[in-house]
Amino acid sequence: AEEIRRASIRAGGPRVLVDAAHGNFHKIDGRFAAFAALARADGYRVAGADQPVTPALLATADVFVIANAVKGGEDAKWVLPTPPAFAPEEVTALAAWVHDGGSLLLIADEALAGLSSAEVDEILAILARLNAGGITMIMIEHIMRAVMRFSSRIVVLDAGQTIADGTPEETM
């Protein structure tokens, strides 16, 4: 792996908190270790957040990362529809924080799997509203109709290698 030779952000840069309190198996000391190392090498201050989302927690962050939060974590019973991973007051705190300028990176890994066409449309509408409100999302998805409709940029991987990268029109 190549090292970052010139960090774009000086040490003591923005603080990135990666959610670890909502059943996320993507944590900075596990599956997200490479993400954390890359961000740190580029000057970001990265930490895990293993407590409920509150205004006080968010006040310590410049960027909050949520990746595949699920109620029950690794012991979750995967029966659709899955229950919300966040309590209503956590959602309210996150919404207010983003509204006030906080940066949320939401990573959704096959969030549409097993849903009906109407449910897919409903979720895409919610994601589009969130994205229009300034939330950046990374979507890992196999339902191509949804990918093409929702995405402004698509990266296609095959066995870990990039085979296409561009707009939906460019990648098809």
Side-chain angles (χ1 to χ4, degrees):
E2 283 190 43
E3 290 185 34
I4 295 178
R5 291 190 174 88
R6 184 180 51 185
S8 63
I9 297 173
R10 291 196 166 95
R15 181 166 165 99
V16 177
L17 291 182
V18 179
D19 182 38
H22 297 89
N24 319 67
F25 54 88
H26 297 311
K27 297 179 184 173
I28 62 171
D29 59 352
R31 291 181 182 205
F32 262 27
F35 169 82
L38 178 66
R40 285 181 181 126
D42 204 27
Y44 290 86
R45 296 174 295 139
V46 181
D50 60 357
Q51 60 213 39
V53 175
T54 63
L57 172 69
L58 294 171
T60 69
D62 297 296
V63 179
F64 195 75
V65 180
I66 300 171
N68 298 332
V70 62
K71 187 175 185 97
E74 293 184 25
D75 297 326
K77 293 187 173 44
W78 289 94
V79 177
L80 296 174
T82 58
F86 292 85
E89 59 272 14
E90 291 178 298
V91 174
T92 299
L94 274 167
W97 180 73
V98 168
H99 180 268
D100 291 341
S103 297
L104 176 62
L105 172 59
L106 177 62
I107 302 172
D109 186 356
E110 297 193 50
L112 306 176
L115 300 180
S116 71
S117 184
E119 291 167 326
V120 167
D121 290 342
E122 182 180 344
I123 296 296
L124 287 178
I126 292 168
L127 293 176
R129 284 195 306 273
L130 292 170
N131 186 248
I135 296 174
T136 300
M137 293 178 216
I138 298 173
M139 178 187 283
I140 297 92
E141 188 54 66
H142 295 217
I143 300 174
M144 291 311 298
R145 174 181 65 86
V147 170
M148 299 304 284
R149 186 171 134 204
F150 180 76
S151 303
S152 58
R153 178 176 175 215
I154 297 172
V155 177
V156 181
L157 302 175
D158 182 20
Q161 300 298 312
T162 302
I163 60 171
D165 184 349
T167 66
E169 295 78 19
E170 293 169 340
T171 57
M172 290 310 289

